[in-house]
Amino acid sequence: MNGRHKGEHLLTELKTSIRLKAPPLQVWAVLTAFSDYTRWHALLNLDGTAAVGSEIVYSLRRTAERSHYINTEVLIIECEEPKKLAWRIGLPKLIVMEESFKLEADDSGTILQHEIKPSGVLSWLAVRLAGHRLWKI
């Protein structure tokens, strides 16, 4: 944790990782099949193509019990099969989040690293919301 805001510790980024018993190409196929996200992600729906420069529709709901999604567009900023997928969302200089997924082969399958890096004057809010979202899944 870095910094303080009104007496609270702030996170400057959020990182998680998991070891999956599947090869990187199989994990990549699931990660880039945007139309299938709702099958394994309770809060997120994506629509578009995984390619650098593509804008995809990013639909998020606050809890799995809610049917209403908030829709916006994200820009794919990195797409290197089967190694890395990253997108950017937000309002420049105010609140921006770069979210990335890195895949690394290991002896038992794939290590999947997920990272959220906020920037902008309200970046503390982005991490707080992202962290809250992770605990709800």
Side-chain angles (χ1 to χ4, degrees), residues 77-133:
I77 56 174
E78 291 186 62
C79 187
E80 184 182 348
E81 181 181 352
K83 296 179 180 181
K84 187 173 183 182
L85 176 65
W87 55 66
R88 182 180 302 128
I89 183 173
L91 301 169
K93 297 185 183 182
L94 186 60
I95 184 169
V96 175
M97 285 196 319
E98 288 188 10
E99 188 166 7
S100 66
F101 301 88
K102 295 177 186 173
L103 292 75
E104 183 181 323
D106 78 350
D107 294 338
S108 63
T110 304
I111 298 172
L112 176 62
Q113 297 175 359
H114 177 228
E115 185 172 7
I116 297 174
K117 289 183 181 178
S119 61
V121 295
L122 296 176
S123 61
W124 60 271
L125 179 60
V127 173
R128 188 172 189 156
L129 291 173
H132 179 71
R133 185 180 75 190

Side-chain angles (χ1 to χ4, degrees), residues 44-47 56-60 69-74 87 89 97 99 116 133:
L44 185 61
N45 186 28
L46 301 176
D47 185 29
I56 63 171
V57 178
Y58 183 100
S59 303
L60 181 68
Y69 283 88
I70 298 169
N71 301 312
T72 190
E73 289 185 347
V74 300
W87 55 66
I89 183 173
M97 285 196 319
E99 188 166 7
I116 297 174
R133 185 180 75 190

Side-chain angles (χ1 to χ4, degrees), residues 28-80:
W28 181 262
V30 171
L31 193 60
T32 57
F34 295 154
S35 61
D36 292 335
Y37 263 52
T38 56
R39 293 176 61 198
W40 60 270
H41 199 301
L43 307 178
L44 185 61
N45 186 28
L46 301 176
D47 185 29
T49 304
V52 172
S54 292
E55 287 188 350
I56 63 171
V57 178
Y58 183 100
S59 303
L60 181 68
R61 57 185 176 173
R62 287 186 54 128
T63 66
E65 294 77 32
R66 292 190 179 189
S67 60
H68 177 72
Y69 283 88
I70 298 169
N71 301 312
T72 190
E73 289 185 347
V74 300
L75 177 66
I76 303 288
I77 56 174
E78 291 186 62
C79 187
E80 184 182 348

